[in-house]
Amino acid sequence: MADDGAVTLYNNSAITDAKKNPFSIKAGLAQMLRGGAILEVSSVQQAKIAEEAGACSIMVSEPGLRQGIRRMPDPSLIKEIKRAVSIPLMARARVGHFVEAQILEAIGVDYIDESELLALADEDNFINKHNFRCPFICGCRNLGEALRRVREGAAMIRTQGEILGQGNVAETVKNVRNVMKEVRVLNNMDEDEVFAFAKKIAAPYDLVAQIKQMGRLPVVQFAAGGIVTPADAALMMQLGCDGIFVGSEVFDSADPYKRVRGIVQAVRHYNDPHVLVESSCGLEDSMAELNLSEDRIEQFGRGGE
Protein backbone atom coordinates (compact mmCIF):
# COMPACT_ATOMS: atom_id res chain seq x y z
CA MET A 1 0.00 0.00 0.00
CA ALA A 2 0.99 3.63 -0.35
CA ASP A 3 1.51 3.88 3.43
CA ASP A 4 4.70 1.77 3.34
CA GLY A 5 6.84 4.88 3.13
CA ALA A 6 4.85 6.98 5.59
CA VAL A 7 6.75 9.88 7.13
CA THR A 8 7.48 9.66 10.85
CA LEU A 9 5.61 12.45 12.63
CA TYR A 10 7.05 12.04 16.14
CA ASN A 11 10.41 13.51 17.08
CA ASN A 12 13.73 11.68 17.03
CA SER A 13 13.04 10.04 20.38
CA ALA A 14 10.58 7.65 18.71
CA ILE A 15 11.91 4.14 19.14
CA THR A 16 11.00 2.97 15.64
CA ASP A 17 11.15 4.31 12.09
CA ALA A 18 8.17 4.02 9.75
CA LYS A 19 10.41 3.43 6.74
CA LYS A 20 11.84 0.28 8.34
CA ASN A 21 8.40 -1.11 9.20
CA PRO A 22 6.42 -1.51 5.98
CA PHE A 23 2.68 -1.89 6.37
CA SER A 24 2.60 -4.93 4.09
CA ILE A 25 4.66 -6.96 6.58
CA LYS A 26 2.42 -6.00 9.50
CA ALA A 27 -0.72 -6.78 7.51
CA GLY A 28 0.82 -10.16 6.66
CA LEU A 29 1.46 -10.89 10.34
CA ALA A 30 -2.18 -10.11 11.09
CA GLN A 31 -3.24 -12.42 8.25
CA MET A 32 -1.54 -15.29 10.11
CA LEU A 33 -4.30 -15.14 12.74
CA ARG A 34 -7.07 -15.51 10.16
CA GLY A 35 -9.54 -18.28 10.96
CA GLY A 36 -8.68 -18.32 14.66
CA ALA A 37 -10.01 -17.32 18.08
CA ILE A 38 -8.18 -14.79 20.27
CA LEU A 39 -8.79 -15.30 24.01
CA GLU A 40 -8.59 -12.56 26.63
CA VAL A 41 -6.66 -13.80 29.68
CA SER A 42 -5.65 -12.26 32.97
CA SER A 43 -3.44 -14.99 34.48
CA VAL A 44 -0.86 -17.59 33.50
CA GLN A 45 -3.36 -20.37 34.19
CA GLN A 46 -5.92 -18.90 31.79
CA ALA A 47 -3.21 -18.37 29.17
CA LYS A 48 -2.20 -22.04 29.35
CA ILE A 49 -5.82 -23.15 29.04
CA ALA A 50 -6.28 -20.95 25.97
CA GLU A 51 -3.13 -22.32 24.35
CA GLU A 52 -4.07 -25.94 25.07
CA ALA A 53 -7.59 -25.35 23.71
CA GLY A 54 -6.21 -24.12 20.39
CA ALA A 55 -6.45 -20.30 20.58
CA CYS A 56 -4.43 -18.59 17.83
CA SER A 57 -3.41 -15.78 20.19
CA ILE A 58 -4.10 -14.36 23.65
CA MET A 59 -4.94 -10.84 24.79
CA VAL A 60 -3.45 -9.99 28.20
CA SER A 61 -5.67 -7.85 30.43
CA GLU A 62 -5.74 -6.80 34.05
CA PRO A 63 -7.47 -9.30 36.38
CA GLY A 64 -10.89 -8.17 37.62
CA LEU A 65 -12.69 -4.90 36.89
CA ARG A 66 -10.45 -2.01 37.84
CA GLN A 67 -12.26 1.01 39.22
CA GLY A 68 -11.57 4.35 37.63
CA ILE A 69 -9.10 4.83 34.76
CA ARG A 70 -8.27 1.62 32.90
CA ARG A 71 -4.76 1.53 31.44
CA MET A 72 -2.47 -0.95 29.74
CA PRO A 73 -1.81 -4.16 31.73
CA ASP A 74 1.12 -4.43 34.14
CA PRO A 75 4.30 -5.19 32.13
CA SER A 76 5.33 -7.79 34.73
CA LEU A 77 2.10 -9.74 34.06
CA ILE A 78 2.76 -9.60 30.31
CA LYS A 79 6.32 -10.89 30.80
CA GLU A 80 5.12 -13.69 33.07
CA ILE A 81 2.50 -14.87 30.58
CA LYS A 82 4.91 -14.48 27.65
CA ARG A 83 7.33 -16.90 29.36
CA ALA A 84 4.55 -19.42 29.97
CA VAL A 85 3.07 -19.78 26.45
CA SER A 86 4.35 -20.00 22.89
CA ILE A 87 1.41 -18.54 20.94
CA PRO A 88 1.37 -14.85 19.88
CA LEU A 89 0.58 -12.36 22.63
CA MET A 90 -1.42 -9.12 22.47
CA ALA A 91 -1.91 -6.28 24.93
CA ARG A 92 -4.05 -3.13 24.97
CA ALA A 93 -2.90 0.48 24.94
CA ARG A 94 -5.13 3.49 25.45
CA VAL A 95 -6.32 5.39 22.39
CA GLY A 96 -3.73 8.00 21.47
CA HIS A 97 -1.21 6.89 24.12
CA PHE A 98 1.83 6.20 21.94
CA VAL A 99 4.13 5.87 24.97
CA GLU A 100 2.10 2.93 26.28
CA ALA A 101 2.47 1.43 22.81
CA GLN A 102 6.23 2.01 22.93
CA ILE A 103 6.41 0.22 26.28
CA LEU A 104 4.39 -2.73 24.99
CA GLU A 105 6.58 -3.00 21.92
CA ALA A 106 9.73 -2.90 24.08
CA ILE A 107 8.36 -5.73 26.24
CA GLY A 108 8.01 -7.84 23.11
CA VAL A 109 4.28 -8.24 22.57
CA ASP A 110 3.40 -9.52 19.10
CA TYR A 111 0.37 -7.25 18.52
CA ILE A 112 -0.92 -4.04 20.13
CA ASP A 113 -4.62 -3.27 20.45
CA GLU A 114 -5.29 0.48 20.51
CA SER A 115 -8.45 -0.08 22.47
CA GLU A 116 -11.45 2.08 23.16
CA LEU A 117 -12.30 -0.41 25.94
CA LEU A 118 -9.71 1.38 28.07
CA ALA A 119 -9.84 5.03 29.07
CA LEU A 120 -9.01 7.54 26.32
CA ALA A 121 -5.59 9.15 26.61
CA ASP A 122 -6.19 11.50 23.66
CA GLU A 123 -9.74 12.49 22.76
CA ASP A 124 -8.82 13.83 19.32
CA ASN A 125 -5.91 11.78 18.00
CA PHE A 126 -5.12 8.12 17.49
CA ILE A 127 -1.59 6.70 17.53
CA ASN A 128 0.41 7.01 14.31
CA LYS A 129 0.77 3.26 13.96
CA HIS A 130 3.24 3.51 11.07
CA ASN A 131 5.89 4.43 13.66
CA PHE A 132 5.87 0.92 15.15
CA ARG A 133 7.09 -2.46 14.00
CA CYS A 134 4.25 -4.20 15.90
CA PRO A 135 1.00 -4.74 14.00
CA PHE A 136 -1.85 -2.74 15.52
CA ILE A 137 -5.48 -3.72 16.07
CA CYS A 138 -8.19 -1.07 16.19
CA GLY A 139 -11.93 -1.20 16.81
CA CYS A 140 -14.76 0.03 14.61
CA ARG A 141 -18.54 0.05 14.36
CA ASN A 142 -18.87 1.03 10.70
CA LEU A 143 -16.89 1.01 7.47
CA GLY A 144 -15.79 4.64 7.60
CA GLU A 145 -14.32 4.22 11.07
CA ALA A 146 -12.54 1.02 9.98
CA LEU A 147 -10.89 2.69 6.99
CA ARG A 148 -9.78 5.70 9.02
CA ARG A 149 -7.97 3.32 11.37
CA VAL A 150 -6.39 1.47 8.44
CA ARG A 151 -5.10 4.78 7.06
CA GLU A 152 -3.45 5.40 10.45
CA GLY A 153 -1.70 2.02 10.15
CA ALA A 154 -4.02 -0.57 11.72
CA ALA A 155 -3.20 -4.06 10.37
CA MET A 156 -6.35 -5.67 11.84
CA ILE A 157 -9.86 -4.34 12.39
CA ARG A 158 -11.94 -5.42 15.38
CA THR A 159 -15.65 -4.89 14.81
CA GLN A 160 -16.74 -4.19 18.38
CA GLY A 161 -20.08 -4.93 20.00
CA GLU A 162 -21.11 -5.30 23.62
CA ILE A 163 -18.30 -4.41 26.05
CA LEU A 164 -19.84 -5.26 29.44
CA GLY A 165 -19.04 -8.98 29.41
CA GLN A 166 -22.70 -10.04 29.74
CA GLY A 167 -22.79 -12.42 26.78
CA ASN A 168 -25.16 -10.32 24.64
CA VAL A 169 -24.06 -10.77 21.02
CA ALA A 170 -26.81 -8.60 19.47
CA GLU A 171 -24.77 -5.39 19.19
CA THR A 172 -21.84 -7.26 17.64
CA VAL A 173 -24.15 -8.79 15.04
CA LYS A 174 -25.59 -5.36 14.24
CA ASN A 175 -22.16 -3.77 13.75
CA VAL A 176 -20.76 -6.66 11.70
CA ARG A 177 -23.83 -6.63 9.45
CA ASN A 178 -23.51 -2.86 9.10
CA VAL A 179 -19.90 -3.11 7.89
CA MET A 180 -20.69 -5.99 5.53
CA LYS A 181 -23.72 -4.13 4.15
CA GLU A 182 -21.65 -1.03 3.37
CA VAL A 183 -19.07 -3.20 1.59
CA ARG A 184 -21.82 -4.80 -0.53
CA VAL A 185 -23.30 -1.40 -1.36
CA LEU A 186 -19.87 -0.21 -2.46
CA ASN A 187 -19.29 -3.31 -4.60
CA ASN A 188 -22.51 -2.66 -6.54
CA MET A 189 -21.85 1.03 -6.95
CA ASP A 190 -21.00 2.79 -10.21
CA GLU A 191 -17.41 4.04 -10.42
CA ASP A 192 -18.60 7.65 -10.58
CA GLU A 193 -20.40 7.27 -7.25
CA VAL A 194 -17.36 6.09 -5.26
CA PHE A 195 -16.06 9.61 -4.62
CA ALA A 196 -19.35 10.69 -3.05
CA PHE A 197 -19.56 7.46 -1.02
CA ALA A 198 -16.03 7.98 0.34
CA LYS A 199 -16.96 11.52 1.35
CA LYS A 200 -20.19 10.34 2.97
CA ILE A 201 -18.47 7.81 5.23
CA ALA A 202 -15.46 10.14 5.79
CA ALA A 203 -12.96 7.55 4.54
CA PRO A 204 -9.85 7.85 2.32
CA TYR A 205 -10.86 7.49 -1.33
CA ASP A 206 -7.98 5.15 -2.26
CA LEU A 207 -8.98 2.65 0.44
CA VAL A 208 -12.64 2.84 -0.59
CA ALA A 209 -11.62 2.14 -4.19
CA GLN A 210 -9.46 -0.76 -3.00
CA ILE A 211 -12.43 -2.32 -1.19
CA LYS A 212 -14.52 -2.00 -4.33
CA GLN A 213 -11.83 -3.86 -6.23
CA MET A 214 -11.20 -6.54 -3.57
CA GLY A 215 -14.78 -7.01 -2.38
CA ARG A 216 -13.69 -6.91 1.28
CA LEU A 217 -11.67 -4.89 3.78
CA PRO A 218 -7.98 -4.52 2.91
CA VAL A 219 -7.02 -6.04 6.30
CA VAL A 220 -8.36 -8.92 8.37
CA GLN A 221 -11.60 -8.26 10.24
CA PHE A 222 -12.35 -9.92 13.57
CA ALA A 223 -15.50 -9.62 15.69
CA ALA A 224 -15.53 -8.89 19.42
CA GLY A 225 -18.12 -8.54 22.17
CA GLY A 226 -20.69 -10.94 23.62
CA ILE A 227 -19.21 -14.03 21.94
CA VAL A 228 -19.44 -16.75 24.60
CA THR A 229 -20.81 -19.85 22.85
CA PRO A 230 -19.71 -21.95 19.87
CA ALA A 231 -22.90 -20.86 18.10
CA ASP A 232 -21.97 -17.18 18.61
CA ALA A 233 -18.52 -17.85 17.17
CA ALA A 234 -19.88 -19.69 14.12
CA LEU A 235 -22.42 -16.90 13.56
CA MET A 236 -19.65 -14.29 13.32
CA MET A 237 -17.70 -16.45 10.88
CA GLN A 238 -20.75 -17.10 8.69
CA LEU A 239 -21.45 -13.36 8.60
CA GLY A 240 -18.05 -12.94 6.95
CA CYS A 241 -15.55 -12.25 9.75
CA ASP A 242 -12.01 -13.65 9.63
CA GLY A 243 -11.93 -14.59 13.31
CA ILE A 244 -13.17 -13.62 16.75
CA PHE A 245 -12.12 -12.14 20.08
CA VAL A 246 -13.45 -13.91 23.18
CA GLY A 247 -13.66 -12.15 26.56
CA SER A 248 -12.21 -13.51 29.79
CA GLU A 249 -15.74 -14.22 31.08
CA VAL A 250 -15.62 -17.61 29.33
CA PHE A 251 -13.19 -18.74 32.04
CA ASP A 252 -15.86 -18.24 34.74
CA SER A 253 -17.12 -21.81 34.59
CA ALA A 254 -16.56 -25.24 36.07
CA ASP A 255 -14.82 -26.45 32.91
CA PRO A 256 -13.31 -23.46 31.05
CA TYR A 257 -11.19 -25.70 28.80
CA LYS A 258 -14.28 -27.40 27.39
CA ARG A 259 -15.98 -24.08 26.66
CA VAL A 260 -12.90 -22.50 25.07
CA ARG A 261 -12.21 -25.65 23.05
CA GLY A 262 -15.81 -25.66 21.81
CA ILE A 263 -15.52 -22.04 20.65
CA VAL A 264 -12.20 -22.71 18.89
CA GLN A 265 -13.66 -25.72 17.10
CA ALA A 266 -16.71 -23.69 16.06
CA VAL A 267 -14.47 -21.05 14.48
CA ARG A 268 -12.52 -23.67 12.56
CA HIS A 269 -15.58 -25.61 11.40
CA TYR A 270 -18.23 -22.89 11.31
CA ASN A 271 -20.02 -24.40 8.30
CA ASP A 272 -20.18 -27.95 9.70
CA PRO A 273 -23.41 -28.37 11.76
CA HIS A 274 -22.25 -31.72 13.14
CA VAL A 275 -19.13 -30.18 14.68
CA LEU A 276 -21.21 -27.28 16.01
CA VAL A 277 -23.57 -29.75 17.71
CA GLU A 278 -20.66 -31.52 19.40
CA SER A 279 -19.05 -28.22 20.41
CA SER A 280 -22.26 -26.90 21.95
CA CYS A 281 -23.23 -29.95 24.01
CA GLY A 282 -22.97 -29.75 27.80
CA LEU A 283 -22.18 -26.03 28.06
CA GLU A 284 -25.47 -24.67 29.44
CA ASP A 285 -24.69 -25.27 33.13
CA SER A 286 -21.27 -23.64 32.87
CA MET A 287 -22.79 -20.56 31.24
CA ALA A 288 -25.37 -19.74 33.89
CA GLU A 289 -23.53 -16.57 34.94
CA LEU A 290 -23.55 -15.25 31.38
CA ASN A 291 -27.29 -15.54 30.77
CA LEU A 292 -29.06 -12.19 30.82
CA SER A 293 -31.77 -11.97 33.45
CA GLU A 294 -35.30 -11.38 32.19
CA ASP A 295 -35.58 -7.91 33.70
CA ARG A 296 -32.54 -6.77 31.66
CA ILE A 297 -34.02 -7.82 28.34
CA GLU A 298 -36.50 -5.56 26.59
CA GLN A 299 -39.59 -7.65 25.92
CA PHE A 300 -41.54 -7.34 22.69
CA GLY A 301 -44.80 -5.44 23.14
CA ARG A 302 -43.80 -3.70 26.38
CA GLY A 303 -44.33 -0.07 25.52
CA GLY A 304 -41.16 0.87 23.52
CA GLU A 305 -40.82 2.25 20.08
Side-chain angles (χ1 to χ4, degrees), residues 68-174:
I69 300 297
R70 296 188 64 191
R71 303 179 178 88
M72 72 174 188
D74 189 325
S76 61
L77 175 63
I78 297 174
K79 291 180 179 179
E80 186 180 6
I81 292 177
K82 186 175 176 64
R83 288 192 295 265
V85 298
S86 58
I87 57 177
L89 185 146
M90 302 178 176
R92 295 188 179 106
R94 283 177 282 175
V95 169
H97 206 313
F98 55 85
V99 174
E100 282 190 349
Q102 290 173 358
I103 292 171
L104 293 175
E105 185 169 79
I107 294 171
V109 300
D110 299 288
Y111 302 86
I112 298 173
D113 187 338
E114 186 177 13
S115 180
E116 69 280 6
L117 304 183
L118 306 181
L120 298 181
D122 191 327
E123 295 183 356
D124 300 317
N125 303 288
F126 281 74
I127 297 171
N128 178 2
K129 291 163 272 290
H130 296 292
N131 281 341
F132 295 82
R133 61 180 174 271
C134 265
F136 269 73
I137 303 150
C138 287
C140 80
R141 289 179 170 82
N142 55 63
L143 183 60
E145 191 175 5
L147 294 184
R148 291 193 292 275
R149 302 291 83 81
V150 173
R151 169 56 73 237
E152 295 160 0
M156 177 190 289
I157 290 298
R158 165 178 43 79
T159 304
Q160 185 66 47
E162 185 254 353
I163 63 175
L164 301 177
Q166 297 172 344
N168 185 2
V169 79
E171 187 175 351
T172 310
V173 171
K174 181 184 73 173

Side-chain angles (χ1 to χ4, degrees), residues 40-55:
E40 182 179 344
V41 303
S42 56
S43 67
V44 172
Q45 181 183 8
Q46 291 180 356
K48 289 181 176 179
I49 291 173
E51 182 178 32
E52 291 170 5

